[in-house]
Amino acid sequence: MGRWWAGIDWSWGLQDVVIIDDEGKVVTHLRVEESREGVEQILGALRALNPTSHRFSRRQVPIAIEDGSRLLVAELQRRRQPVVVIPPAVTARYRGRHGAAVSKSDRGDASLLADIIRQNPGRLFLLPEDSDQAAAIAVLARTQASSTEAARSVMLRLRSHLGLYYPAAVEAWSGMQHGLRRPEARAVLALAPTPRQAAALSKRRLYDTLAAAGRTRLLDEEATRLRELFAAPQLRQRPQTEQAMGERTRFHLAELSLACQNAERLAISADTLFAAHPHHWIYRSFPACGPLLAARLFAEIGDAPGRFPTGRHLRAYAGTAPITWSSGSSHTVVHRTVCNRALKATVHQWAFGALTRSPGCRALYDARRERGDGYAAALRHVGNRLLSGLHHCVRTGRLYQEHVMFPG
């Protein structure tokens, strides 16, 4: 019985679908819409490849595509059709293999995608089928991360603007966690968006504003500090210019408050949904793995069974496992750059937090530093160990235990 492979070149209009045989020859070419009718056309073409054999099934034909987040892919997976996602960079490297003159067309790209999986049958990694709950958690966690980054971007624009006319506001919360994103900072700036208004604030008014913003510790000391800072003589813009710049500050504050509120709301939603998942308490049992960080880790790892057969696969996916370049007498070990960047950044943050919450992680970090590793390299080793432990705990259903993770 023959074998077939399929490729789909996705576009906003019609999708080009190409099916090739064992020899790489095009058997079928379709142009379909991203709709139910289009999916039926694709599945019908697959069934028609060998209609006389009762041993043949369309599910024996893998489909390659570059974007695994499309509705078309979701429907194919719902129909239990195997889908392989090929990164565009891989497709680009394969494009010049069949001739010196490199050309590009939708049909040609679909045929190329099918040919890539035909030439590499032992390296097919089917798109993991995470549960609906896991996919929903991933959407919320990633959107929350985007909102946090948006809030940080707005904060940087606000800080740059304040530096032009209101240096005391920049200095007031510099060095503090979250800086101008802090609720108290936003509340004080909304009350006094110009240095003249800030200089006129009384200690009592500042005290009440800080309390209303949610601050509970050292209120009197903080109100005194801000009062003295705002009252100190500083360089100023002309009155009307300063007033106009204060209006712009109000605009940036509105942007910042909205981004912060969205990030906080999405963090609660992601944690609430993740709390109902069976893997929740396994993730939360690890040191420094708080609600938000746990949700972000789970969003990138998922719950598809068998996606990461070993801890080594997970570490490579996260970019914490080193990669070796060896040729002749040259031998170099470097960190991975081709990986899931979001997961790599989250693991870096996780490893950093674990240094003060896990004696084993701290000992491993110190040992790597003594061996000559830099800060980032030592943290990658800590992240490697944590990911190995997480993989084992998820596979076995056990919670984290410090003495098992770091014996002796």
Side-chain angles (χ1 to χ4, degrees), residues 99-300:
V102 178
S103 61
K104 186 182 187 305
S105 67
D106 293 342
R107 173 175 173 169
D109 283 355
S111 178
L112 179 60
L113 287 168
D115 200 45
I116 290 173
I117 57 176
R118 181 186 71 86
Q119 296 180 46
N120 302 276
R123 293 179 175 269
L124 298 184
F125 296 99
L126 299 180
L127 189 65
E129 297 186 21
D130 290 325
S131 66
D132 185 32
Q133 185 181 11
I137 295 168
V139 170
L140 291 174
R142 289 167 181 164
T143 308
Q144 196 280 335
S146 297
S147 296
T148 301
E149 184 58 32
R152 180 177 176 275
S153 179
V154 175
M155 181 196 72
L156 293 176
R157 291 201 300 271
L158 173 61
R159 187 174 68 182
S160 177
H161 172 63
L162 290 172
L164 300 176
Y165 82 109
Y166 198 171
V170 178
E171 182 183 349
W173 296 279
S174 64
M176 296 187 182
Q177 187 178 22
H178 305 307
L180 293 172
R181 284 179 290 173
R182 297 170 68 90
E184 62 199 71
R186 289 183 275 128
V188 171
L189 286 176
L191 178 65
T194 67
R196 283 179 172 81
Q197 291 172 317
L201 291 176
S202 65
K203 177 182 173 182
R204 185 64 195 181
R205 189 73 183 276
L206 285 167
Y207 184 101
D208 293 341
T209 302
L210 294 173
R215 186 181 179 101
T216 57
R217 297 178 63 253
L218 304 175
L219 276 169
D220 191 72
E221 290 84 345
E222 181 67 5
T224 302
R225 183 183 74 85
L226 291 176
R227 176 74 186 91
E228 293 174 352
L229 179 63
F230 292 147
Q234 293 186 352
L235 298 176
R236 292 183 179 179
Q237 295 279 0
R238 291 172 295 180
Q240 291 188 9
T241 303
E242 182 181 287
Q243 190 63 33
M245 298 181 87
E247 291 301 316
R248 181 176 174 178
T249 295
R250 291 185 189 276
F251 168 75
H252 286 312
L253 281 173
E255 279 188 306
L256 182 58
S257 295
L258 180 60
C260 290
Q261 290 167 11
N262 286 337
E264 292 167 5
R265 178 175 55 82
L266 287 165
I268 294 172
S269 298
D271 181 50
T272 301
L273 188 57
F274 186 34
H277 194 278
H279 292 176
H280 175 259
W281 288 112
I282 297 176
Y283 279 74
R284 289 299 311 278
S285 67
F286 278 76
C289 201
L292 184 55
L293 194 142
R296 288 184 179 178
L297 282 172
F298 179 79
E300 304 305 327

